[in-house]
Amino acid sequence: MTRRITPAIALPEVNFSDEGDMRFLHLGTPWVQGMMSIKQPFDLKLEYAERMMAWLLFVTPPSVPKRHAMQLGLGAASLTKFCHNKLRMQTTVVELNPQVVLACRTWFKLPPEDKRLKVVVADAALEIQRPVWHQTVDALQVDLYDEEADGPVLDSEDFYSDCRRLLTDDGCMTVNLFGRLSSYDESLRKIVKVFGPGTVWAFKPTKEGNSIVLAQRTPRPPSMDQLVERCHDIQQRWKIRTSTWLHMFNPLQS
């Protein structure tokens, strides 16, 4: 079954498809822009989405509900819903296409805005330059792709500099580097140049080709004992599958 929303302006058509319990978001192409379990709409089902939560390794679990998460790109709202509903965080999402927002509210269980959830319909590149957001974000999750999913829509040193300005002193940025035309090494070089030595960590790619990179505003690497303990805690508290993380997630030597 497929249903469609046709945008009133020149933005991609938004549609979804169902396969068993899974619902998939598309932007007018077969490429999957996000997915949701119909029976468990607030859980993370994609491996890359779970890895986008790796910033949790760098904070104490009791502090999480007191923090602010921001997503650049709504997708199927998986990260936004998880931060808002499961982690109980103040959550802000910036999405360019109002039809994606409508689709997520209609088909993907995106909750209405409340005192902890804010949806901003805007160009992320411009929105994050607003001083009101500077040094307010503890967990910045960047997942910006167009309908062809060829590569990140925003991937310049200026963009990553603007992202860094959003972060609190112990804040982290996680980025999904995926796409047929993307250059992982070049994107990584830009992130390292902007964030500096000792701040950048990276996962090995998922089997689908998603490479998740994390950058800390301030380099504060946890000990191996802390990482082991937090992996266990994250899995127990929030049911994120962290059992393989420590074999696939490493600091970059820069």
Side-chain angles (χ1 to χ4, degrees):
M1 177 179 66
T2 300
R3 297 180 182 176
R4 304 176 185 275
I5 291 176
T6 302
I9 58 177
L11 290 169
E13 179 185 60
V14 180
N15 55 290
F16 78 88
S17 61
D18 287 345
E19 185 175 333
D21 178 52
M22 303 311 298
R23 177 163 292 173
F24 303 93
L25 177 73
H26 310 277
L27 298 182
T29 75
W31 288 99
V32 172
Q33 301 286 339
M35 64 184 289
M36 176 189 77
S37 164
I38 297 170
K39 293 178 181 177
Q40 298 173 308
F42 301 108
D43 290 355
L44 297 175
K45 293 301 180 181
L46 289 172
E47 185 177 20
Y48 98 87
E50 291 185 312
R51 293 183 181 185
M52 292 287 284
M53 294 292 165
W55 60 269
L56 288 166
L57 293 170
F58 296 86
V59 299
T60 59
S63 74
V64 171
K66 303 172 186 177
R67 296 178 179 273
H68 177 204
M70 175 180 280
Q71 294 83 42
L72 304 185
L74 180 58
S78 297
L79 300 176
T80 301
K81 291 185 299 183
F82 193 86
C83 288
H84 177 260
N85 289 74
K86 297 285 189 174
L87 301 183
R88 309 300 298 172
M89 299 176 71
Q90 178 187 350
T91 306
T92 304
V93 60
V94 183
E95 169 57 47
L96 176 65
N97 190 340
Q99 300 303 317
V100 170
V101 177
L102 178 59
C104 285
R105 287 175 172 155
T106 305
W107 302 325
F108 290 90
K109 303 292 185 182
L110 177 65
E113 292 187 64
D114 58 25
K115 63 181 181 180
R116 288 191 298 105
L117 176 62
K118 183 175 182 64
V119 178
V120 180
V121 178
D123 183 334
L126 299 177
E127 183 65 24
I128 65 175
Q129 294 179 29
R130 297 180 60 211
V132 67
W133 301 119
H134 291 176
Q135 293 187 292
T136 68
V137 179
D138 299 292
L140 177 66
Q141 296 164 313
V142 182
D143 195 10
L144 293 165
Y145 288 85
D146 62 16
E147 63 272 22
E148 296 297 333
D150 282 331
V153 173
L154 300 173
D155 186 43
S156 68
E157 288 181 18
D158 286 344
F159 169 69
Y160 291 124
S161 293
D162 289 337
C163 287
R164 189 177 184 276
R165 275 189 285 271
L166 296 177
L167 297 176
T168 59
D169 189 50
D170 60 350
C172 293
M173 174 185 73
T174 48
V175 184
N176 175 25
L177 297 178
F178 168 81
R180 292 171 290 166
L181 300 181
S182 66
S183 170
Y184 173 79
D185 290 340
E186 182 62 17
S187 296
L188 204 57
R189 183 196 65 76
K190 296 171 188 174
I191 294 170
V192 171
K193 182 175 180 181
V194 168
F195 280 80
T199 62
V200 180
W201 298 61
F203 279 98
K204 295 179 181 178
T206 67
K207 60 181 180 295
E208 294 82 14
N210 300 86
S211 297
I212 305 305
V213 174
L214 183 146
Q216 298 175 280
R217 181 181 175 92
T218 306
R220 291 175 179 164
S223 68
M224 181 54 67
D225 287 344
Q226 285 177 315
L227 287 174
V228 171
E229 180 181 351
R230 286 179 183 169
C231 274
H232 176 76
D233 210 351
I234 291 166
Q235 186 157 313
Q236 292 298 309
R237 286 173 181 260
W238 298 301
K239 311 305 178 189
I240 297 175
R241 296 165 292 183
T242 61
S243 57
T244 63
W245 278 15
L246 296 186
H247 303 291
M248 299 184 172
F249 184 58
N250 295 290
L252 296 185
Q253 302 301 319
S254 56

